[in-house]
Amino acid sequence: MSQEPLPSHPPHPFPPYGPPSYGSSPSYGSPPSYGSPPSYGSSPSYPTYPWQPQPAAPEPDPLPVPPHRRDAQGHHGDLRLLRGAYRWQRRTAALTALGYFTLFLVLSAYAPSFMTGELVGGLPTGLVLALVQLPVTWLAIALYEHTARRYVDPLADRIRKRAELDAQREAAR
């Protein structure tokens, strides 16, 4: 009786490692072949979850909409003027009130001898300047209202009237 030599390694029941390659048309019923080497950095050519529906290709855009002759709120120059007037109004009123308060704080910190000096009737200068803060705040409010009436409101009224006319024209079409 002759004995055959035993192989050094028993045959492996699975094919070598590698990503499944389904070829051009995937067949989900047959097992994948593992013969090709892995391709790193690329996405697989098969669906990740074949039981989920695949996203449909986006439909082409319909014909482009012709541009309007003029947008309903297309008064960009007027809006730019309104923003500028409103910005100027806010800055003027805020700098009036905050500027005086900052001056009061700077004098309190760096000129204590001036702030403790006496004015009319034995009142310290610091107290008088602190009491003047209230009329300065009223002045800032009055300045805000004045600039609103003089500059901002006429621009806003003009834009509002044009918007109403544009809305009426659009409704008539």
Side-chain angles (χ1 to χ4, degrees), residues 68-126:
H68 295 290
R69 287 183 293 223
R70 194 170 97 187
D71 290 338
Q73 293 292 326
H75 312 290
H76 301 296
D78 289 341
L79 291 175
R80 197 172 302 122
L81 286 173
L82 181 64
R83 279 194 306 267
Y86 185 62
R87 189 178 307 122
W88 184 83
Q89 175 192 22
R90 286 188 322 243
R91 287 179 184 164
T92 304
L95 289 177
T96 301
L98 293 177
Y100 181 81
F101 185 69
T102 303
L103 175 69
F104 177 76
L105 290 178
V106 168
L107 286 175
S108 297
Y110 295 108
S113 60
F114 173 74
M115 296 298 274
T116 56
E118 290 187 10
L119 283 179
V120 181
L123 290 174
T125 308

Side-chain angles (χ1 to χ4, degrees), residues 3-163:
Q3 284 194 341
E4 296 180 16
L6 292 172
S8 59
H9 296 287
H12 197 285
F14 301 107
Y17 174 76
S21 61
Y22 291 107
S24 61
S25 62
S27 170
Y28 298 113
S30 62
S33 76
Y34 291 97
S36 62
S39 60
Y40 298 105
S42 66
S43 62
S45 61
Y46 54 89
T48 307
Y49 301 106
W51 57 86
Q52 291 182 343
Q54 297 300 318
E59 294 182 16
D61 291 334
L63 295 176
V65 178
H68 295 290
R69 287 183 293 223
R70 194 170 97 187
D71 290 338
Q73 293 292 326
H75 312 290
H76 301 296
D78 289 341
L79 291 175
R80 197 172 302 122
L81 286 173
L82 181 64
R83 279 194 306 267
Y86 185 62
R87 189 178 307 122
W88 184 83
Q89 175 192 22
R90 286 188 322 243
R91 287 179 184 164
T92 304
L95 289 177
T96 301
L98 293 177
Y100 181 81
F101 185 69
T102 303
L103 175 69
F104 177 76
L105 290 178
V106 168
L107 286 175
S108 297
Y110 295 108
S113 60
F114 173 74
M115 296 298 274
T116 56
E118 290 187 10
L119 283 179
V120 181
L123 290 174
T125 308
L127 180 62
V128 172
L129 291 177
L131 292 175
V132 170
Q133 179 68 39
L134 189 60
V136 168
T137 304
W138 289 338
L139 175 69
I141 293 170
L143 185 64
Y144 188 86
E145 289 179 1
H146 172 73
T147 56
R149 269 187 250 111
R150 175 100 190 237
Y151 301 106
V152 178
D153 290 346
L155 284 172
D157 288 340
R158 182 171 48 177
I159 292 171
R160 190 176 302 114
K161 286 177 185 174
R162 283 190 183 173

